[in-house]
Amino acid sequence: MKLPVNPEPVATVFVVDDDQDMREALDNLLRSVGHAVSLFGSTSEFLQKAPANAPGCLVLDVRLPGVSGLEFQNQLARANASIPIIFMTGHGDIPMSVRAMKAGAIDFLTKPFRDQDMLDAVALALEHDRARRAEAEASADVRERFTLLSRREREVMTLVTRGLMNKQVAGELGLSEITVKLYRGQAMRKMGARSLADLVRMAEQLALHGAKP
């Protein structure tokens, strides 16, 4: 009997704006091209009701009751919440947009904006989110593989990926060169590295460079 497969969560465009007419207009626009949409009147409502770490992006008004959009962007950054943000405002200025973009916003749209500008910004934001999640998943896989290495395999991997030759690694660890080659081969096999370059990239993901073996 086949077990049911849990479907991947649907990427959602979360819209936060205290203007109901604007929320509904964006809801109609985004759904017209097939996006899943969730609407909120404030940042506090978003925090209460939106699922944590959900795939998608955030369309955020700058001027909101309570916490402003820019302040909320800072709060999310401090909480390591990496959801891509598209800002919209009826009172935008250059310093405000520069601040938002420097803090990682995908786009900064001034109302009234063209529908296509919003659709293009949302498409870009969702692609950023997909790429970020794929990278995080790959990094998690590398970390999991690294836990399967023995202590010696980790030591050899750390030194080899710093650029040391097998002979130098052997001298560093008090092993024979043949033993180092053996540990190096085992580490590459367990890590799924097809080449030394692959192993170096994995070491960079693990932040091994600069660490003591």
Side-chain angles (χ1 to χ4, degrees):
M1 184 178 70
K2 288 186 177 180
L3 295 175
V5 177
N6 293 327
E8 289 292 323
V10 176
T12 301
V13 182
F14 300 98
V15 178
V16 181
D17 195 316
D18 60 334
D19 184 332
Q20 183 174 348
D21 290 340
M22 176 58 74
R23 292 199 303 272
E24 292 176 354
L26 285 170
D27 188 48
N28 291 332
L29 171 66
L30 295 166
R31 289 186 188 278
S32 72
V33 294
H35 291 304
V37 185
S38 190
L39 306 176
F40 305 93
S42 66
T43 56
S44 59
E45 185 183 358
F46 171 78
L47 290 174
Q48 290 169 8
K49 297 181 180 179
N53 197 34
C57 67
L58 178 59
V59 178
L60 183 62
D61 192 29
V62 170
R63 296 182 183 273
L64 291 166
V67 178
S68 74
L70 292 173
E71 291 170 347
F72 190 57
Q73 181 188 32
N74 291 333
Q75 289 182 7
L76 292 175
R78 288 195 294 270
N80 292 320
S82 301
I83 186 167
I85 298 175
I86 300 161
F87 279 106
M88 54 183 178
T89 180
H91 309 278
D93 57 30
I94 292 176
M96 188 184 295
S97 61
V98 168
R99 174 184 166 189
M101 301 297 282
K102 280 187 174 180
I106 297 296
D107 210 336
F108 194 99
L109 303 178
T110 302
K111 301 174 185 176
F113 43 76
R114 294 190 313 128
D115 288 352
Q116 192 58 50
D117 289 340
M118 175 59 75
L119 294 176
D120 289 346
V122 166
L124 180 60
L126 293 177
E127 182 55 38
H128 271 251
D129 191 58
R130 280 190 290 269
R132 179 187 63 81
R133 289 176 181 277
E135 184 178 347
E137 186 176 336
S139 294
D141 180 62
V142 168
R143 288 193 296 272
E144 185 176 352
R145 288 172 182 266
F146 189 67
T147 64
L148 302 178
L149 269 57
S150 69
R151 179 176 63 85
R152 278 300 193 195
E153 289 164 353
R154 293 183 189 183
E155 291 173 341
V156 169
M157 176 178 170
T158 300
L159 293 173
V160 164
T161 54
R162 285 185 192 168
L164 273 68
M165 305 294 290
N166 290 334
K167 184 176 182 180
Q168 294 172 306
V169 175
E172 189 81 20
L173 298 179
L175 302 172
S176 70
E177 193 171 344
I178 294 177
T179 302
V180 168
K181 290 180 180 179
L182 176 65
Y183 283 131
R184 174 177 171 168
Q186 291 175 173
M188 291 185 68
R189 178 177 55 81
K190 289 182 181 180
M191 293 299 295
R194 293 170 295 180
S195 65
L196 179 58
D198 277 351
L199 200 65
V200 170
R201 282 191 290 270
M202 293 174 182
E204 290 172 349
Q205 286 180 292
L206 294 164
L208 293 186
H209 297 168
K212 291 184 178 181

PDB file of all heavy atoms in Angstrom, residues 67-104:
ATOM      1  N   VAL A  67       3.008  49.506  13.831  1.00  0.00           N
ATOM      2  CA  VAL A  67       4.342  49.317  13.271  1.00  0.00           C
ATOM      3  C   VAL A  67       4.314  49.611  11.774  1.00  0.00           C
ATOM      4  O   VAL A  67       3.500  49.070  11.037  1.00  0.00           O
ATOM      5  CB  VAL A  67       4.825  47.874  13.504  1.00  0.00           C
ATOM      6  CG1 VAL A  67       6.195  47.654  12.867  1.00  0.00           C
ATOM      7  CG2 VAL A  67       4.892  47.577  14.996  1.00  0.00           C
ATOM      8  N   SER A  68       5.194  50.488  11.312  1.00  0.00           N
ATOM      9  CA  SER A  68       5.248  50.816   9.884  1.00  0.00           C
ATOM     10  C   SER A  68       5.862  49.667   9.108  1.00  0.00           C
ATOM     11  O   SER A  68       6.497  48.761   9.671  1.00  0.00           O
ATOM     12  CB  SER A  68       6.080  52.080   9.663  1.00  0.00           C
ATOM     13  OG  SER A  68       7.469  51.795   9.836  1.00  0.00           O
ATOM     14  N   GLY A  69       5.702  49.726   7.788  1.00  0.00           N
ATOM     15  CA  GLY A  69       6.266  48.676   6.956  1.00  0.00           C
ATOM     16  C   GLY A  69       7.775  48.570   7.073  1.00  0.00           C
ATOM     17  O   GLY A  69       8.330  47.475   7.150  1.00  0.00           O
ATOM     18  N   LEU A  70       8.463  49.704   7.103  1.00  0.00           N
ATOM     19  CA  LEU A  70       9.926  49.681   7.211  1.00  0.00           C
ATOM     20  C   LEU A  70      10.381  49.146   8.566  1.00  0.00           C
ATOM     21  O   LEU A  70      11.363  48.403   8.659  1.00  0.00           O
ATOM     22  CB  LEU A  70      10.486  51.084   6.981  1.00  0.00           C
ATOM     23  CG  LEU A  70      10.327  51.633   5.556  1.00  0.00           C
ATOM     24  CD1 LEU A  70      10.767  53.088   5.492  1.00  0.00           C
ATOM     25  CD2 LEU A  70      11.105  50.793   4.555  1.00  0.00           C
ATOM     26  N   GLU A  71       9.667  49.512   9.622  1.00  0.00           N
ATOM     27  CA  GLU A  71       9.993  48.981  10.943  1.00  0.00           C
ATOM     28  C   GLU A  71       9.763  47.473  10.983  1.00  0.00           C
ATOM     29  O   GLU A  71      10.536  46.714  11.584  1.00  0.00           O
ATOM     30  CB  GLU A  71       9.149  49.676  12.019  1.00  0.00           C
ATOM     31  CG  GLU A  71       9.511  51.135  12.247  1.00  0.00           C
ATOM     32  CD  GLU A  71       8.486  51.851  13.132  1.00  0.00           C
ATOM     33  OE1 GLU A  71       7.397  51.292  13.350  1.00  0.00           O
ATOM     34  OE2 GLU A  71       8.790  52.958  13.592  1.00  0.00           O
ATOM     35  N   PHE A  72       8.687  47.032  10.325  1.00  0.00           N
ATOM     36  CA  PHE A  72       8.377  45.603  10.302  1.00  0.00           C
ATOM     37  C   PHE A  72       9.443  44.837   9.529  1.00  0.00           C
ATOM     38  O   PHE A  72       9.813  43.721   9.905  1.00  0.00           O
ATOM     39  CB  PHE A  72       7.002  45.379   9.674  1.00  0.00           C
ATOM     40  CG  PHE A  72       6.491  43.975   9.821  1.00  0.00           C
ATOM     41  CD1 PHE A  72       6.352  43.403  11.077  1.00  0.00           C
ATOM     42  CD2 PHE A  72       6.137  43.221   8.705  1.00  0.00           C
ATOM     43  CE1 PHE A  72       5.875  42.109  11.222  1.00  0.00           C
ATOM     44  CE2 PHE A  72       5.664  41.931   8.840  1.00  0.00           C
ATOM     45  CZ  PHE A  72       5.528  41.372  10.104  1.00  0.00           C
ATOM     46  N   GLN A  73       9.962  45.441   8.464  1.00  0.00           N
ATOM     47  CA  GLN A  73      11.062  44.817   7.728  1.00  0.00           C
ATOM     48  C   GLN A  73      12.257  44.572   8.651  1.00  0.00           C
ATOM     49  O   GLN A  73      12.882  43.509   8.616  1.00  0.00           O
ATOM     50  CB  GLN A  73      11.474  45.705   6.552  1.00  0.00           C
ATOM     51  CG  GLN A  73      12.599  45.124   5.708  1.00  0.00           C
ATOM     52  CD  GLN A  73      13.111  46.123   4.676  1.00  0.00           C
ATOM     53  OE1 GLN A  73      13.107  47.336   4.904  1.00  0.00           O
ATOM     54  NE2 GLN A  73      13.536  45.631   3.523  1.00  0.00           N
ATOM     55  N   ASN A  74      12.564  45.556   9.492  1.00  0.00           N
ATOM     56  CA  ASN A  74      13.676  45.406  10.434  1.00  0.00           C
ATOM     57  C   ASN A  74      13.396  44.309  11.457  1.00  0.00           C
ATOM     58  O   ASN A  74      14.291  43.547  11.834  1.00  0.00           O
ATOM     59  CB  ASN A  74      13.943  46.734  11.151  1.00  0.00           C
ATOM     60  CG  ASN A  74      14.504  47.795  10.221  1.00  0.00           C
ATOM     61  OD1 ASN A  74      15.144  47.474   9.220  1.00  0.00           O
ATOM     62  ND2 ASN A  74      14.264  49.061  10.551  1.00  0.00           N
ATOM     63  N   GLN A  75      12.153  44.235  11.929  1.00  0.00           N
ATOM     64  CA  GLN A  75      11.778  43.197  12.898  1.00  0.00           C
ATOM     65  C   GLN A  75      11.948  41.805  12.296  1.00  0.00           C
ATOM     66  O   GLN A  75      12.466  40.896  12.951  1.00  0.00           O
ATOM     67  CB  GLN A  75      10.337  43.397  13.357  1.00  0.00           C
ATOM     68  CG  GLN A  75      10.110  44.598  14.256  1.00  0.00           C
ATOM     69  CD  GLN A  75       8.664  44.700  14.706  1.00  0.00           C
ATOM     70  OE1 GLN A  75       7.844  43.820  14.470  1.00  0.00           O
ATOM     71  NE2 GLN A  75       8.336  45.814  15.351  1.00  0.00           N
ATOM     72  N   LEU A  76      11.518  41.649  11.071  1.00  0.00           N
ATOM     73  CA  LEU A  76      11.653  40.355  10.406  1.00  0.00           C
ATOM     74  C   LEU A  76      13.123  39.986  10.228  1.00  0.00           C
ATOM     75  O   LEU A  76      13.514  38.833  10.406  1.00  0.00           O
ATOM     76  CB  LEU A  76      10.949  40.377   9.048  1.00  0.00           C
ATOM     77  CG  LEU A  76       9.421  40.474   9.075  1.00  0.00           C
ATOM     78  CD1 LEU A  76       8.881  40.618   7.652  1.00  0.00           C
ATOM     79  CD2 LEU A  76       8.794  39.258   9.745  1.00  0.00           C
ATOM     80  N   ALA A  77      13.948  40.969   9.884  1.00  0.00           N
ATOM     81  CA  ALA A  77      15.376  40.710   9.706  1.00  0.00           C
ATOM     82  C   ALA A  77      16.017  40.266  11.015  1.00  0.00           C
ATOM     83  O   ALA A  77      16.835  39.338  11.036  1.00  0.00           O
ATOM     84  CB  ALA A  77      16.072  41.956   9.170  1.00  0.00           C
ATOM     85  N   ARG A  78      15.634  40.927  12.111  1.00  0.00           N
ATOM     86  CA  ARG A  78      16.192  40.545  13.420  1.00  0.00           C
ATOM     87  C   ARG A  78      15.753  39.139  13.822  1.00  0.00           C
ATOM     88  O   ARG A  78      16.461  38.451  14.556  1.00  0.00           O
ATOM     89  CB  ARG A  78      15.767  41.561  14.482  1.00  0.00           C
ATOM     90  CG  ARG A  78      16.470  42.908  14.361  1.00  0.00           C
ATOM     91  CD  ARG A  78      16.300  43.743  15.617  1.00  0.00           C
ATOM     92  NE  ARG A  78      14.903  44.136  15.819  1.00  0.00           N
ATOM     93  CZ  ARG A  78      14.361  45.252  15.350  1.00  0.00           C
ATOM     94  NH1 ARG A  78      15.092  46.087  14.627  1.00  0.00           N
ATOM     95  NH2 ARG A  78      13.101  45.544  15.596  1.00  0.00           N
ATOM     96  N   ALA A  79      14.577  38.719  13.360  1.00  0.00           N
ATOM     97  CA  ALA A  79      14.065  37.384  13.681  1.00  0.00           C
ATOM     98  C   ALA A  79      14.527  36.334  12.663  1.00  0.00           C
ATOM     99  O   ALA A  79      14.099  35.184  12.720  1.00  0.00           O
ATOM    100  CB  ALA A  79      12.540  37.416  13.728  1.00  0.00           C
ATOM    101  N   ASN A  80      15.413  36.748  11.731  1.00  0.00           N
ATOM    102  CA  ASN A  80      15.921  35.860  10.683  1.00  0.00           C
ATOM    103  C   ASN A  80      14.807  35.296   9.811  1.00  0.00           C
ATOM    104  O   ASN A  80      14.894  34.154   9.335  1.00  0.00           O
ATOM    105  CB  ASN A  80      16.745  34.713  11.293  1.00  0.00           C
ATOM    106  CG  ASN A  80      18.041  35.186  11.902  1.00  0.00           C
ATOM    107  OD1 ASN A  80      18.707  36.056  11.344  1.00  0.00           O
ATOM    108  ND2 ASN A  80      18.395  34.643  13.054  1.00  0.00           N
ATOM    109  N   ALA A  81      13.739  36.060   9.640  1.00  0.00           N
ATOM    110  CA  ALA A  81      12.660  35.672   8.734  1.00  0.00           C
ATOM    111  C   ALA A  81      13.001  36.210   7.350  1.00  0.00           C
ATOM    112  O   ALA A  81      13.072  37.422   7.160  1.00  0.00           O
ATOM    113  CB  ALA A  81      11.329  36.224   9.225  1.00  0.00           C
ATOM    114  N   SER A  82      13.213  35.327   6.401  1.00  0.00           N
ATOM    115  CA  SER A  82      13.793  35.730   5.118  1.00  0.00           C
ATOM    116  C   SER A  82      12.776  35.896   3.999  1.00  0.00           C
ATOM    117  O   SER A  82      13.122  35.790   2.838  1.00  0.00           O
ATOM    118  CB  SER A  82      14.848  34.696   4.690  1.00  0.00           C
ATOM    119  OG  SER A  82      15.865  34.591   5.652  1.00  0.00           O
ATOM    120  N   ILE A  83      11.523  36.119   4.310  1.00  0.00           N
ATOM    121  CA  ILE A  83      10.516  36.255   3.265  1.00  0.00           C
ATOM    122  C   ILE A  83      10.796  37.496   2.414  1.00  0.00           C
ATOM    123  O   ILE A  83      11.050  38.578   2.935  1.00  0.00           O
ATOM    124  CB  ILE A  83       9.095  36.322   3.879  1.00  0.00           C
ATOM    125  CG1 ILE A  83       8.030  36.321   2.773  1.00  0.00           C
ATOM    126  CG2 ILE A  83       8.928  37.531   4.796  1.00  0.00           C
ATOM    127  CD1 ILE A  83       6.626  36.079   3.291  1.00  0.00           C
ATOM    128  N   PRO A  84      10.799  37.369   1.081  1.00  0.00           N
ATOM    129  CA  PRO A  84      11.038  38.536   0.214  1.00  0.00           C
ATOM    130  C   PRO A  84       9.911  39.557   0.362  1.00  0.00           C
ATOM    131  O   PRO A  84       8.742  39.185   0.470  1.00  0.00           O
ATOM    132  CB  PRO A  84      11.054  37.940  -1.197  1.00  0.00           C
ATOM    133  CG  PRO A  84      11.284  36.473  -1.010  1.00  0.00           C
ATOM    134  CD  PRO A  84      10.665  36.130   0.299  1.00  0.00           C
ATOM    135  N   ILE A  85      10.280  40.845   0.336  1.00  0.00           N
ATOM    136  CA  ILE A  85       9.298  41.914   0.561  1.00  0.00           C
ATOM    137  C   ILE A  85       9.224  42.844  -0.639  1.00  0.00           C
ATOM    138  O   ILE A  85      10.250  43.272  -1.182  1.00  0.00           O
ATOM    139  CB  ILE A  85       9.664  42.728   1.815  1.00  0.00           C
ATOM    140  CG1 ILE A  85       9.639  41.837   3.065  1.00  0.00           C
ATOM    141  CG2 ILE A  85       8.696  43.903   2.001  1.00  0.00           C
ATOM    142  CD1 ILE A  85      10.104  42.533   4.332  1.00  0.00           C
ATOM    143  N   ILE A  86       7.985  43.147  -1.033  1.00  0.00           N
ATOM    144  CA  ILE A  86       7.714  44.193  -2.021  1.00  0.00           C
ATOM    145  C   ILE A  86       6.991  45.315  -1.295  1.00  0.00           C
ATOM    146  O   ILE A  86       5.919  45.098  -0.720  1.00  0.00           O
ATOM    147  CB  ILE A  86       6.817  43.668  -3.154  1.00  0.00           C
ATOM    148  CG1 ILE A  86       7.495  42.501  -3.874  1.00  0.00           C
ATOM    149  CG2 ILE A  86       6.470  44.792  -4.138  1.00  0.00           C
ATOM    150  CD1 ILE A  86       6.532  41.644  -4.663  1.00  0.00           C
ATOM    151  N   PHE A  87       7.579  46.504  -1.296  1.00  0.00           N
ATOM    152  CA  PHE A  87       6.945  47.643  -0.634  1.00  0.00           C
ATOM    153  C   PHE A  87       6.059  48.398  -1.616  1.00  0.00           C
ATOM    154  O   PHE A  87       6.339  48.473  -2.815  1.00  0.00           O
ATOM    155  CB  PHE A  87       7.996  48.602  -0.074  1.00  0.00           C
ATOM    156  CG  PHE A  87       8.557  48.173   1.245  1.00  0.00           C
ATOM    157  CD1 PHE A  87       9.839  47.656   1.340  1.00  0.00           C
ATOM    158  CD2 PHE A  87       7.790  48.290   2.403  1.00  0.00           C
ATOM    159  CE1 PHE A  87      10.350  47.258   2.557  1.00  0.00           C
ATOM    160  CE2 PHE A  87       8.299  47.902   3.627  1.00  0.00           C
ATOM    161  CZ  PHE A  87       9.580  47.377   3.709  1.00  0.00           C
ATOM    162  N   MET A  88       4.980  48.966  -1.068  1.00  0.00           N
ATOM    163  CA  MET A  88       4.137  49.874  -1.849  1.00  0.00           C
ATOM    164  C   MET A  88       3.738  51.038  -0.948  1.00  0.00           C
ATOM    165  O   MET A  88       3.567  50.864   0.261  1.00  0.00           O
ATOM    166  CB  MET A  88       2.902  49.146  -2.382  1.00  0.00           C
ATOM    167  CG  MET A  88       2.083  48.448  -1.336  1.00  0.00           C
ATOM    168  SD  MET A  88       0.692  47.546  -2.061  1.00  0.00           S
ATOM    169  CE  MET A  88      -0.013  46.811  -0.578  1.00  0.00           C
ATOM    170  N   THR A  89       3.650  52.211  -1.545  1.00  0.00           N
ATOM    171  CA  THR A  89       3.311  53.392  -0.762  1.00  0.00           C
ATOM    172  C   THR A  89       2.719  54.475  -1.655  1.00  0.00           C
ATOM    173  O   THR A  89       3.029  54.552  -2.842  1.00  0.00           O
ATOM    174  CB  THR A  89       4.553  53.949  -0.038  1.00  0.00           C
ATOM    175  OG1 THR A  89       4.182  55.102   0.722  1.00  0.00           O
ATOM    176  CG2 THR A  89       5.635  54.338  -1.030  1.00  0.00           C
ATOM    177  N   GLY A  90       1.865  55.293  -1.049  1.00  0.00           N
ATOM    178  CA  GLY A  90       1.350  56.460  -1.755  1.00  0.00           C
ATOM    179  C   GLY A  90       2.146  57.699  -1.436  1.00  0.00           C
ATOM    180  O   GLY A  90       1.882  58.783  -1.945  1.00  0.00           O
ATOM    181  N   HIS A  91       3.158  57.558  -0.562  1.00  0.00           N
ATOM    182  CA  HIS A  91       3.934  58.715  -0.093  1.00  0.00           C
ATOM    183  C   HIS A  91       5.425  58.403  -0.151  1.00  0.00           C
ATOM    184  O   HIS A  91       6.179  58.774   0.736  1.00  0.00           O
ATOM    185  CB  HIS A  91       3.541  59.077   1.346  1.00  0.00           C
ATOM    186  CG  HIS A  91       2.065  59.226   1.539  1.00  0.00           C
ATOM    187  ND1 HIS A  91       1.386  60.367   1.225  1.00  0.00           N
ATOM    188  CD2 HIS A  91       1.148  58.351   2.005  1.00  0.00           C
ATOM    189  CE1 HIS A  91       0.093  60.211   1.503  1.00  0.00           C
ATOM    190  NE2 HIS A  91      -0.084  58.990   1.969  1.00  0.00           N
ATOM    191  N   GLY A  92       5.844  57.693  -1.189  1.00  0.00           N
ATOM    192  CA  GLY A  92       7.242  57.280  -1.256  1.00  0.00           C
ATOM    193  C   GLY A  92       8.181  58.427  -1.545  1.00  0.00           C
ATOM    194  O   GLY A  92       7.802  59.421  -2.157  1.00  0.00           O
ATOM    195  N   ASP A  93       9.393  58.308  -1.085  1.00  0.00           N
ATOM    196  CA  ASP A  93      10.445  59.248  -1.453  1.00  0.00           C
ATOM    197  C   ASP A  93      11.730  58.453  -1.657  1.00  0.00           C
ATOM    198  O   ASP A  93      11.813  57.274  -1.308  1.00  0.00           O
ATOM    199  CB  ASP A  93      10.616  60.343  -0.403  1.00  0.00           C
ATOM    200  CG  ASP A  93      10.921  59.806   0.990  1.00  0.00           C
ATOM    201  OD1 ASP A  93      11.543  58.721   1.082  1.00  0.00           O
ATOM    202  OD2 ASP A  93      10.552  60.459   1.977  1.00  0.00           O
ATOM    203  N   ILE A  94      12.713  59.100  -2.249  1.00  0.00           N
ATOM    204  CA  ILE A  94      13.928  58.382  -2.615  1.00  0.00           C
ATOM    205  C   ILE A  94      14.667  57.813  -1.397  1.00  0.00           C
ATOM    206  O   ILE A  94      15.045  56.640  -1.395  1.00  0.00           O
ATOM    207  CB  ILE A  94      14.857  59.284  -3.447  1.00  0.00           C
ATOM    208  CG1 ILE A  94      14.208  59.555  -4.810  1.00  0.00           C
ATOM    209  CG2 ILE A  94      16.231  58.634  -3.633  1.00  0.00           C
ATOM    210  CD1 ILE A  94      14.974  60.504  -5.684  1.00  0.00           C
ATOM    211  N   PRO A  95      14.879  58.588  -0.318  1.00  0.00           N
ATOM    212  CA  PRO A  95      15.576  58.013   0.837  1.00  0.00           C
ATOM    213  C   PRO A  95      14.857  56.791   1.408  1.00  0.00           C
ATOM    214  O   PRO A  95      15.500  55.812   1.818  1.00  0.00           O
ATOM    215  CB  PRO A  95      15.598  59.169   1.850  1.00  0.00           C
ATOM    216  CG  PRO A  95      15.497  60.396   1.020  1.00  0.00           C
ATOM    217  CD  PRO A  95      14.609  60.033  -0.119  1.00  0.00           C
ATOM    218  N   MET A  96      13.534  56.835   1.440  1.00  0.00           N
ATOM    219  CA  MET A  96      12.770  55.716   1.970  1.00  0.00           C
ATOM    220  C   MET A  96      12.953  54.469   1.103  1.00  0.00           C
ATOM    221  O   MET A  96      13.164  53.361   1.609  1.00  0.00           O
ATOM    222  CB  MET A  96      11.286  56.087   2.028  1.00  0.00           C
ATOM    223  CG  MET A  96      10.411  55.066   2.731  1.00  0.00           C
ATOM    224  SD  MET A  96       8.659  55.528   2.655  1.00  0.00           S
ATOM    225  CE  MET A  96       8.663  57.048   3.624  1.00  0.00           C
ATOM    226  N   SER A  97      12.898  54.644  -0.207  1.00  0.00           N
ATOM    227  CA  SER A  97      13.056  53.500  -1.102  1.00  0.00           C
ATOM    228  C   SER A  97      14.477  52.947  -1.044  1.00  0.00           C
ATOM    229  O   SER A  97      14.677  51.734  -1.078  1.00  0.00           O
ATOM    230  CB  SER A  97      12.694  53.889  -2.538  1.00  0.00           C
ATOM    231  OG  SER A  97      13.541  54.913  -3.020  1.00  0.00           O
ATOM    232  N   VAL A  98      15.459  53.821  -0.943  1.00  0.00           N
ATOM    233  CA  VAL A  98      16.852  53.374  -0.838  1.00  0.00           C
ATOM    234  C   VAL A  98      17.044  52.563   0.438  1.00  0.00           C
ATOM    235  O   VAL A  98      17.686  51.502   0.433  1.00  0.00           O
ATOM    236  CB  VAL A  98      17.819  54.577  -0.862  1.00  0.00           C
ATOM    237  CG1 VAL A  98      19.233  54.143  -0.471  1.00  0.00           C
ATOM    238  CG2 VAL A  98      17.825  55.224  -2.238  1.00  0.00           C
ATOM    239  N   ARG A  99      16.483  53.047   1.534  1.00  0.00           N
ATOM    240  CA  ARG A  99      16.584  52.323   2.812  1.00  0.00           C
ATOM    241  C   ARG A  99      15.969  50.933   2.698  1.00  0.00           C
ATOM    242  O   ARG A  99      16.555  49.949   3.155  1.00  0.00           O
ATOM    243  CB  ARG A  99      15.881  53.134   3.900  1.00  0.00           C
ATOM    244  CG  ARG A  99      15.777  52.418   5.246  1.00  0.00           C
ATOM    245  CD  ARG A  99      14.977  53.247   6.234  1.00  0.00           C
ATOM    246  NE  ARG A  99      14.577  52.472   7.391  1.00  0.00           N
ATOM    247  CZ  ARG A  99      13.732  52.901   8.323  1.00  0.00           C
ATOM    248  NH1 ARG A  99      13.198  54.105   8.219  1.00  0.00           N
ATOM    249  NH2 ARG A  99      13.406  52.136   9.342  1.00  0.00           N
ATOM    250  N   ALA A 100      14.796  50.851   2.079  1.00  0.00           N
ATOM    251  CA  ALA A 100      14.115  49.569   1.943  1.00  0.00           C
ATOM    252  C   ALA A 100      14.912  48.605   1.074  1.00  0.00           C
ATOM    253  O   ALA A 100      15.069  47.426   1.408  1.00  0.00           O
ATOM    254  CB  ALA A 100      12.722  49.777   1.361  1.00  0.00           C
ATOM    255  N   MET A 101      15.438  49.093  -0.043  1.00  0.00           N
ATOM    256  CA  MET A 101      16.172  48.236  -0.964  1.00  0.00           C
ATOM    257  C   MET A 101      17.492  47.771  -0.364  1.00  0.00           C
ATOM    258  O   MET A 101      17.901  46.626  -0.546  1.00  0.00           O
ATOM    259  CB  MET A 101      16.418  48.955  -2.290  1.00  0.00           C
ATOM    260  CG  MET A 101      15.153  49.392  -3.013  1.00  0.00           C
ATOM    261  SD  MET A 101      14.072  48.022  -3.509  1.00  0.00           S
ATOM    262  CE  MET A 101      14.959  47.439  -4.954  1.00  0.00           C
ATOM    263  N   LYS A 102      18.159  48.661   0.363  1.00  0.00           N
ATOM    264  CA  LYS A 102      19.406  48.277   1.028  1.00  0.00           C
ATOM    265  C   LYS A 102      19.172  47.195   2.068  1.00  0.00           C
ATOM    266  O   LYS A 102      20.059  46.377   2.338  1.00  0.00           O
ATOM    267  CB  LYS A 102      20.060  49.499   1.683  1.00  0.00           C
ATOM    268  CG  LYS A 102      20.832  50.393   0.724  1.00  0.00           C
ATOM    269  CD  LYS A 102      21.578  51.476   1.468  1.00  0.00           C
ATOM    270  CE  LYS A 102      22.460  52.285   0.518  1.00  0.00           C
ATOM    271  NZ  LYS A 102      23.210  53.348   1.235  1.00  0.00           N
ATOM    272  N   ALA A 103      17.985  47.199   2.660  1.00  0.00           N
ATOM    273  CA  ALA A 103      17.645  46.189   3.676  1.00  0.00           C
ATOM    274  C   ALA A 103      17.132  44.902   3.034  1.00  0.00           C
ATOM    275  O   ALA A 103      16.732  43.992   3.746  1.00  0.00           O
ATOM    276  CB  ALA A 103      16.606  46.749   4.638  1.00  0.00           C
ATOM    277  N   GLY A 104      17.147  44.837   1.698  1.00  0.00           N
ATOM    278  CA  GLY A 104      16.839  43.580   1.032  1.00  0.00           C
ATOM    279  C   GLY A 104      15.502  43.494   0.338  1.00  0.00           C
ATOM    280  O   GLY A 104      15.120  42.412  -0.135  1.00  0.00           O
TER     281      GLY A 104
END
